[in-house]
């Protein structure tokens, strides 16, 4: 098992980024390595981090402004080879079709829920880390 997993969290709202960190904690599941979070408040910061590599999963806020997480997700799926899986935070369950359009691997609704969210993030990390192994 690798020593840590890296999760990029994108939201223009610092409270949303904090909800993500708090809900998932340092280790979203016992069978996963501890998580290191990289927080980004802008699209440009996200692209810069992803260009460097080493990100195991992303959490994108679909309600972020001016660039929403859904559009950003679709962009990275088109532009970044072997892009990390994305967990999309949606404002409404009715937006699930947009999550599919964005090509996100998983989606949950806001506010970040302390049981379902870590389970969804853990599933993405398990898949990514198994592929990299």
């Amino acid at each position: 098992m690798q020593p840590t997993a890296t999760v990029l969290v994108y939201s223009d709202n610092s409270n949303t980024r904090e909800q993500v960190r708090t809900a998932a904690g340092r280790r979203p599941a016992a069978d996963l390595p501890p998580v290191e979070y990289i927080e980004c408040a802008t699209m440009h910061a996200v692209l810069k981090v992803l260009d460097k590599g080493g990100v195991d999963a992303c959490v994108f806020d679909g309600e972020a402004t001016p660039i929403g997480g859904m559009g950003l997700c679709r962009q990275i799926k088109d532009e970044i080879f072997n892009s990390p899986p994305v967990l999309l935070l949606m404002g409404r369950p009715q937006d699930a079709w947009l999550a599919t359009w964005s090509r996100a691997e998983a989606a949950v609704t806001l506010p970040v829920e302390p049981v379902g969210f870590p389970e969804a993030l853990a599933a993405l990390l398990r898949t990514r880390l198994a592929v990299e192994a």
Side-chain angles (χ1 to χ4, degrees):
M1 183 179 337
Q2 70 183 50
T4 61
T6 302
V7 175
L8 185 152
V9 181
Y10 165 67
S11 178
D12 65 321
N13 186 324
S14 63
N15 291 327
T16 301
R17 295 191 308 266
E18 182 180 354
Q19 285 178 28
V20 167
R21 288 189 330 272
T22 302
R26 184 83 170 107
R27 187 174 241 158
D31 63 323
L32 293 171
V35 171
E36 263 182 40
Y37 295 98
I38 299 173
E39 294 185 39
C40 296
T42 67
M43 174 193 74
H44 298 294
V46 170
L47 296 176
K48 186 175 181 179
V49 170
L50 291 176
D51 280 343
K52 289 181 185 176
V55 174
D56 297 304
C58 297
V59 178
F60 287 174
D61 180 358
E63 305 300 310
T65 59
I67 305 296
M70 292 181 202
L72 181 56
C73 179
R74 188 168 176 96
Q75 180 177 346
I76 71 162
K77 297 299 180 181
D78 285 340
E79 296 178 3
I80 297 177
F81 176 73
N82 198 23
S83 63
V86 174
L87 173 55
L88 192 61
L89 305 175
M90 303 178 306
R92 310 172 313 151
Q94 298 89 335
D95 292 336
W97 72 273
L98 286 169
T100 301
W101 169 85
S102 74
R103 295 189 239 152
E105 283 77 6
V108 297
T109 55
L110 287 166
V112 177
E113 193 267 314
V115 175
F117 176 78
E119 290 173 355
L121 180 59
L124 291 185
L125 287 170
R126 282 185 195 104
T127 301
R128 179 67 170 210
L129 297 176
V131 169
E132 291 178 351

